[in-house]
Amino acid sequence: MNTEIILKPVKIVELFKVLNVVPDNLDKIRARELWEETDQGSGSVVAVLDSGVQVDHPSLKDNVIDGYNFTDDDEGNPIIYQDYLGHGTHVAGIIAAIDNGRGITGVAPKSKLLILKVINHKGRGSFENLIKAIMYAVAWTGPNGEKVNIMNMSLGSPEPHEELYKAIKYARSKGILLVAAAGNEGDGESYTIEISYPGFYKEVVQVGSISETETPSKFSNTNVNLDFVGPGENILSAHLNSDYVELTGTSMAAPFVAGAAALIIKMINRSEPHLIPMYVYEYLLSHALPLENFSINQVGNGFIQLK
């Protein structure tokens, strides 16, 4: 079965040429309060399974440790994982952008990024290639012995896939925390159910979106397996042509959690690798801000906080 997965951001705002206001999302999730203790995520590796990255983007080039192209772009050349959509670049920036004077910084700006391109220039991919990327990430070893700690998957399909599920369970058993977007098919009603895979699998941390006023985003999928919510509306991050763009969607909320995990992982017991995902999840759970006026189908265990 070669089910299609699709990227579908909700809204794209014009490119920013002049930035006058530094986004406060890092302060909203209290990320900066852990930077000194965690050395801004130094030593953590996040695999970004997405549309690639602008490899020479000034905010990202120093943090891209490696990559692989699983799509048919560039005639399937595995060493060209260039982003032609901007989606993967934006997601990568939320996780690990380095401030190059534009006021844009990722949650864990000293973490490293393994770029696994599974979405082509048309915004489409397959579960077959997603599975290959997951297995690649598990097996990958960096130039200095680094291993992947976290996977971010800001993508999805309404259809389950048994082989994908097996790959996810295998990756988790190897101590990798898997994070995925909840999906953007929501209708704003708490009682309706919208499901996107791989996010809906219980082994994956499924992340929904909230607005700047900390209310559930209307488009954000609601379901019983939702774990947390993060900032997902008008998120400013890196984009193509070395620029910066605001995007909206659960695709933006998920990397806030992946970046948070890159910090948290520096503070937990790592002597038993297979327990790392559980320890990170427990930290997120114990620090999350409850949004008590809303259904757990809309906000899960609450808004992620790092302190």
Side-chain angles (χ1 to χ4, degrees), residues 155-306:
L155 43 75
S157 167
E159 299 297 327
H161 192 283
E162 185 59 33
E163 292 304 314
L164 173 64
Y165 189 36
K166 289 179 182 178
I168 283 169
K169 288 188 287 186
Y170 177 72
R172 182 180 167 87
S173 76
K174 295 298 182 180
I176 297 175
L177 184 80
L178 297 103
V179 180
N184 303 327
E185 292 74 45
D187 58 8
E189 301 291 347
S190 62
Y191 54 84
T192 56
I193 302 299
E194 302 90 25
I195 294 174
S196 177
Y197 296 92
F200 190 70
Y201 290 126
K202 289 184 178 181
E203 290 79 5
V204 177
V205 181
Q206 182 188 187
V207 186
S209 168
I210 57 171
S211 70
E212 294 161 274
T213 58
E214 297 181 11
T215 59
S217 300
K218 181 177 180 179
F219 58 79
S220 188
N221 285 8
T222 56
N223 61 70
V224 296
N225 285 352
L226 188 66
D227 291 294
F228 302 100
V229 288
E233 297 191 21
N234 305 319
I235 305 302
L236 187 59
S237 184
H239 208 260
L240 302 183
N241 302 312
S242 300
D243 224 315
Y244 303 86
V245 167
E246 281 188 352
L247 295 184
T248 288
T250 59
S251 284
M252 287 63 253
F256 276 102
V257 175
L263 299 178
I264 295 166
I265 211 163
K266 299 294 296 294
M267 303 187 300
I268 62 172
N269 180 1
R270 299 190 295 277
S271 63
E272 298 180 272
H274 66 285
L275 296 178
I276 289 174
M278 182 186 72
Y279 291 146
V280 174
Y281 193 88
E282 286 179 348
Y283 187 99
L284 290 168
L285 189 61
S286 65
H287 290 80
L289 176 67
L291 300 176
E292 295 174 349
N293 293 328
F294 304 101
S295 163
I296 59 171
N297 285 2
Q298 294 174 289
V299 298
N301 296 297
F303 180 27
I304 62 160
Q305 304 283 285
L306 287 173

Side-chain angles (χ1 to χ4, degrees), residues 2 35 44 56 59 68 100 125 128 175 180 197 217 242 249 276 281 285:
N2 195 22
W35 276 3
S44 297
D56 60 350
S59 289
Y68 198 97
N100 70 329
E128 179 184 1
Y197 296 92
S217 300
S242 300
I276 289 174
Y281 193 88
L285 189 61

